[in-house]
Amino acid sequence: MASIASFIAWGYAIEWVPALRWAGYAFVVGLVLPVLGLITVLVLTSRGAQYGERNSIRRPKGVAFLAATAWKHETASLRARQVYDKKSLYPESFIISSALDDLLELIVRDFVNSWYSNISKNPVFTNEVDKTIRIALEALRDRLLELDITEIMITRFVPIMTAHFRDFYEAERSIRGKHLNRSVTESEELDLAIAGKYRDGKLHPAASLAYADTKLVQQEYLRNLTKDLIPKLLPANVIASRAVAVLIKELVSCAVLSPVMQLLSDPDTWNQVMEAYVCENETNFMLANADTHRDELCCKTVRRSENFELL
């Protein structure tokens, strides 16, 4: 009844004021157009009742090694990589191989495990370091076996040693005098003076007199030498990593070459080598003449044993 009364009243109002009809048109259009627009949007954007089934949102796939079919294979591969079988460096001699293995174990223990054990207990990294050093030593071994050691000793080593002794003799004569006066007190200053006269002070880069402690200079020289040797001894895929290359360089130069050079530069080393060689030849000779030299051999053996005990 209110709607009918309103409609009748609206008719009388339009009859009295004709301009009001435009307000009615505007109201109807403003009501109809949004409804039509909403219907149009729903019709044009609706994708049907089957859209959810055709395009369901799924969880992204995880990493491949976590798949049920690959997990066992990956875990087995990990265990296989952790098993490290050390390859013999010199199969022809068990003694040499064993000595090199012991040396490598000490190197890895003191220079790798000493800090890496605080990071991880997984031995894969240390095994890789040991394997890389063995690859370098194997390449060096193969190169040495290809060389004629006799020819190198005669044509290169002997002339170098001869020139070294001659230059040292001239330097010592210039300090001690023509007749090599031995009354001069042996001291470090005397050694430095002779070294300054050796080849007019043109010493080896690792024996520079400009530094009080030559150990650092020697290690730096060995680092540069190792840096040049690494590309010739290791495959490219190993030295592609800068961290691995630096670690191998430090281990080889400071842990391997430096102690070896210190040992070879110690006169006592060569004295012991010569003494062992002479004693061995002397023992073999006396064993060959055991009937005439049995008593003398027993006395020398007793004295040598006593000397060893004193050492």
Side-chain angles (χ1 to χ4, degrees), residues 38 70 75 143 199 211 223 247 260 264 284 289:
L38 180 60
T75 53
R143 287 178 176 268
R199 292 185 179 180
Y211 300 89
R223 286 190 184 96
L247 182 61
V260 170
L264 294 179
N284 293 333
N289 301 273

Side-chain angles (χ1 to χ4, degrees), residues 4 72 162:
I4 295 173
K72 293 183 179 180
T162 303

Side-chain angles (χ1 to χ4, degrees), residues 1-2 16 41 47 53 77-78 84 89-90 120 148 152 160-161 166 176 215 222 228 243 252 267 277 289 291 297:
M1 292 177 61
W16 294 336
V41 170
R47 300 186 180 182
E53 298 178 1
S77 299
L78 178 61
Y84 178 51
L89 290 172
Y90 195 69
S120 174
D148 189 348
I152 293 176
I160 290 175
M161 293 298 297
R166 182 182 65 250
R176 293 180 180 272
K215 183 177 181 180
L222 292 176
D228 296 334
V252 173
Y277 180 75
N289 301 273
D291 293 336
L297 176 61

Side-chain angles (χ1 to χ4, degrees), residues 47-94:
R47 300 186 180 182
Q50 304 298 325
Y51 174 75
E53 298 178 1
R54 296 194 305 268
N55 301 276
S56 59
I57 300 176
R58 298 179 180 177
R59 183 169 60 90
K61 295 182 178 180
V63 290
F65 69 86
L66 290 179
T69 56
W71 178 253
K72 293 183 179 180
H73 175 71
E74 292 295 333
T75 53
S77 299
L78 178 61
R79 295 191 185 96
R81 289 193 298 269
Q82 291 179 345
V83 176
Y84 178 51
D85 185 16
K86 296 180 180 180
K87 187 177 180 181
S88 178
L89 290 172
Y90 195 69
E92 290 79 3
S93 175
F94 172 77

Side-chain angles (χ1 to χ4, degrees), residues 4-21:
I4 295 173
S6 298
F7 180 76
I8 295 173
W10 179 254
Y12 283 112
I14 291 175
E15 186 177 356
W16 294 336
V17 184
L20 290 177
R21 69 170 57 93

